[in-house]
Amino acid sequence: MTEYAVGLPTVGEFGNIHTLLDLAAAAERHGWDGVHLWHHVLYHEPGWPVVSPVVAAAAITAATSRVRIILTVTLPRRQVQDVAQDTAAIDALSGHRLTILAIIGSMDREYTEFGLDPDPRARGRALDERLARLADLWAQSDVPPIPVWCGGRWPHRAGLRRAARFAGAMPTFDNQRGANVPVDRFARAASFVRQLAGHDLDIALEGATGGPSAGEQVSPYADAGMSWWVEALGWWRGGCRGAMSRITHGPPVTGPTGARG
């Protein structure tokens, strides 16, 4: 069965802990299965506020009882021992509702401005090393395994090869914010990671739906291997007001009786 999350930026008008908490609480009330949080320390727009997704995840955890928190972590620029401690605490507080989305990050400035190597290959090596160390630190502290997804920009394959070793993948695509990715492109990415994995794993996809045909918009992706739909919300879709409106309309439904897809 497909599950549905709301995707929340942590920058700009969304870079406010109270706003994120209100949107996440509304998502739980209106039947969504999860909340996905971005991870930035800077953003492209000068002067935009940027809020900590770790703090947001902890606040959302305390204010909800059911939704899964999908926390993006740009692991190559984080100290792995801090990530291990933060995520173990959030997972315990939530009753094991935490999933980590580990990525290398999309902004070179978030590395260079803090004295870190921005080279993608160096980031990839650091991500692999810290993912292995993260698992060791959790095990040493008797932390139950926390699901880890990995991101990757298709048609580049390194990120999805990494994802195949873990619990899930979240492929991304060029111009994804402007229009939903063609189903055949998503299907190729999903097939690639599933064939490498050799085990069941989640595959998440960001996109935008709306109106009575929302379920029909999602169904082809589910047929192509998607297990999580992330409703991408942000300033490009009417800002916080538009996000709240989409959330309160609930997740997409499919079938003649309106069953969840």
Side-chain angles (χ1 to χ4, degrees):
M1 187 176 91
T2 304
E3 297 187 87
Y4 299 91
V6 297
L8 300 180
T10 53
V11 302
E13 63 182 295
F14 292 83
N16 179 293
I17 193 69
H18 300 290
T19 297
L20 294 174
L21 187 56
D22 288 346
L23 292 169
E28 177 158 285
R29 289 196 306 272
H30 291 279
W32 297 83
D33 301 300
V35 174
H36 168 230
L37 297 169
W38 292 17
H39 183 200
H40 284 286
V41 291
L42 302 172
Y43 202 62
H44 303 289
E45 301 295 332
W48 273 20
V50 180
V51 75
S52 165
V54 173
V55 174
I60 291 166
T61 290
T64 59
S65 61
R66 182 184 54 77
V67 288
R68 177 155 290 275
I69 295 95
I70 304 166
L71 176 64
T72 304
V73 181
T74 311
L75 197 52
R77 57 175 174 76
R78 290 289 314 276
Q79 292 293 324
V80 68
Q81 65 271 22
D82 294 333
V83 173
Q85 185 178 54
D86 290 345
T87 54
I90 292 170
D91 190 57
L93 180 64
S94 69
H96 309 300
R97 291 184 284 132
L98 180 65
T99 292
I100 294 170
L101 173 61
I103 64 170
I104 65 171
S106 60
M107 289 182 59
D108 289 352
R109 284 182 54 234
E110 292 185 309
Y111 286 85
T112 57
E113 293 202 13
F114 299 98
L116 302 173
D117 188 348
D119 180 73
R121 291 169 297 182
R123 292 189 225 177
R125 289 192 296 270
L127 179 53
D128 288 331
E129 292 165 0
R130 291 176 190 186
L131 281 168
R133 183 62 175 143
L134 186 61
D136 288 342
L137 289 168
W138 285 335
Q140 290 169 20
S141 301
D142 294 323
V143 174
I146 298 171
V148 174
W149 298 352
C150 295
R153 179 61 62 93
W154 185 259
H156 304 295
R157 288 167 165 74
L160 296 186
R161 287 194 185 98
R162 179 180 298 110
R165 306 197 303 267
F166 293 92
M170 191 169 179
T172 59
F173 304 84
D174 291 337
N175 304 316
Q176 193 169 357
R177 192 174 294 168
N180 289 344
V181 63
V183 174
D184 61 336
R185 289 189 66 204
F186 169 74
R188 287 194 291 272
S191 176
F192 174 81
V193 71
R194 285 198 186 280
Q195 288 178 11
L196 280 180
H199 62 269
D200 288 338
L201 79 170
D202 284 312
I203 299 184
L205 177 66
E206 285 187 305
T209 64
S213 67
E216 297 173 11
Q217 296 163 35
V218 168
S219 290
Y221 299 107
D223 293 341
M226 179 196 71
S227 57
W228 274 87
W229 176 263
V230 178
E231 189 75 24
L233 302 171
W235 55 94
W236 65 94
R237 289 190 70 186
C240 294
R241 182 175 295 180
M244 183 62 80
S245 175
R246 180 64 193 89
I247 288 169
T248 57
H249 278 84
V253 295
T254 60
T257 61
R260 292 281 300 277

